[in-house]
Amino acid sequence: MRWGLLAAGLVLAGCGGSASAVDFGEELFQEARLSESQFNRFSCSTCHASTPVPEGGRINAGYSLHNVASRLGWWGGNETRLLDAVNFCYVSFMRGVSPLEPEEPKSRALYEYLVSISPGPEAPALPFTVVKDIVEVPRADAGRGAEVYRLACQTCHGEPHTGKGRLTEAASVLPEVVNDYDQLFPGIPKPLVVIEKVRHGQFFHVGGNMPLYSREALSDEDLGALLAFLGL
Ligand code: HEC
Ligand code: HEC
């Protein structure tokens, strides 16, 4: 529970966890307004469940934050302070202009909420395996791929082919976005560009603000099914 001195002190002193702070924290978790950027449409709940198992079988890029405050490390152990783990998301994905400070009311409420959904005992950091080298994956069942699209991609990208219901206009229409890839990425097979986007998100010089999917978040088999569904 290494958030910042003040927030941690509050909880240890038993003054933390007031119902109103937890409620406010939960609202912030669910709403894009946590970020001051008018261009942000993401909330924490866009990418993280708060229940032990994501509802409706959703496939999120990020782990469920159930028990998050009980973990001893985050992002595969690369982050050792919870607030830094949160701020990485806040700045990279939610267009947060500057990181949340531990004593800010918003930040404290969010912390109280995360503690309130962490009833379990201390636990090691969860594994986080980033696929660095992008290679082809075997295609799998397109029917499963339709499910994977709905469970993993649709919240942000909307319906296939039209983008209907997408979270933000910035999210490309799938799979049509690949129609420009021959000009944009000459000589690179289109599926590889899509695999790279899913595995690297905005990182490794890809750009944008889509999250990356680790192996734990999305298996190669489900990715292969998704590509089959998208006709790639
Ligand atoms: C666009 C998607 C996205 C958004 C929005 C987002 N995150 Fe994340 N977050 C991720 C991904 C991907 C990871 C890396 C996988 C993981 O560790 O869960 C991650 C990791 C984390 C971790 C480390 C979890 C662990 O056990 O390793 C915490 C804590 C976290 N996020 C909190 C938050 C909070 C709080 C918010 C809202 C302020 C937020 N995130 C917003 C995608 C997102
Ligand atoms: C949290 C929201 C979010 C989720 C979930 C998400 N995406 Fe994205 N994706 C975006 C946004 C926003 C963009 C445009 C900005 C960017 O490139 O990062 C994008 C862009 C893309 C692009 C186009 C890259 C380019 O520039 O040509 C592809 C391909 C893509 N996403 C595939 C997927 C697939 C497949 C899934 C499901 C496994 C998925 N995305 C899940 C938000 C998301």
Side-chain angles (χ1 to χ4, degrees):
M1 289 196 227
R2 283 139 288 166
W3 184 260
L5 281 177
L6 189 54
L10 271 174
V11 169
L12 290 175
C15 322
S18 82
S20 59
V22 171
D23 289 350
F24 180 42
E26 181 170 16
E27 271 171 42
L28 294 173
F29 181 85
Q30 305 284 355
E31 289 178 11
R33 74 175 163 126
L34 174 66
S35 165
E36 268 132 34
S37 166
Q38 57 171 319
F39 301 107
N40 173 59
R41 296 287 174 277
F42 298 164
S43 69
C44 308
S45 65
T46 308
C47 303
H48 294 281
S50 54
T51 44
V53 177
E55 279 168 30
R58 264 191 66 186
I59 301 174
N60 289 318
Y63 275 115
S64 168
L65 299 187
H66 181 80
N67 269 343
V68 71
S70 307
R71 292 173 202 153
L72 295 167
W74 299 272
W75 286 89
N78 291 305
E79 295 289 359
T80 52
R81 217 169 65 119
L82 181 52
L83 182 57
D84 294 339
V86 171
N87 270 328
F88 193 86
C89 297
Y90 182 70
V91 173
S92 312
F93 304 129
M94 297 173 70
R95 302 172 190 267
V97 180
S98 53
L100 296 166
E101 296 290 340
E103 353 29 88
E104 274 176 67
K106 283 198 303 190
S107 163
R108 281 169 57 173
L110 191 58
Y111 177 75
E112 301 286 357
Y113 172 64
L114 295 180
V115 169
S116 80
I117 58 170
S118 301
E122 280 192 353
L126 296 171
F128 177 64
T129 315
V130 176
V131 179
K132 293 209 177 77
D133 300 318
I134 299 305
V135 290
E136 260 296 351
V137 298
R139 297 298 177 271
D141 177 48
R144 169 65 189 161
E147 277 286 285
V148 174
Y149 183 88
R150 189 174 62 75
L151 297 170
C153 320
Q154 186 148 341
T155 310
C156 292
H157 285 279
E159 289 175 14
H161 306 297
T162 61
K164 191 168 169 243
R166 63 186 151 166
L167 192 57
T168 155
E169 294 270 298
S172 331
V173 174
L174 301 178
E176 280 69 13
V177 67
V178 307
N179 294 344
D180 295 336
Y181 282 2
D182 281 339
Q183 287 93 60
L184 291 170
F185 311 105
I188 303 174
K190 291 170 183 166
L192 272 189
V193 180
V194 174
I195 296 170
E196 162 145 68
K197 184 69 187 171
V198 171
R199 288 302 188 196
H200 290 172
Q202 65 178 275
F203 303 104
F204 299 91
H205 308 291
V206 176
N209 66 335
M210 178 174 141
L212 78 176
Y213 287 78
S214 66
R215 279 200 191 287
E216 290 79 15
L218 188 71
S219 67
D220 271 349
E221 196 178 0
D222 273 352
L223 181 52
L226 180 63
L227 293 169
F229 167 66
L230 294 173
L232 291 166

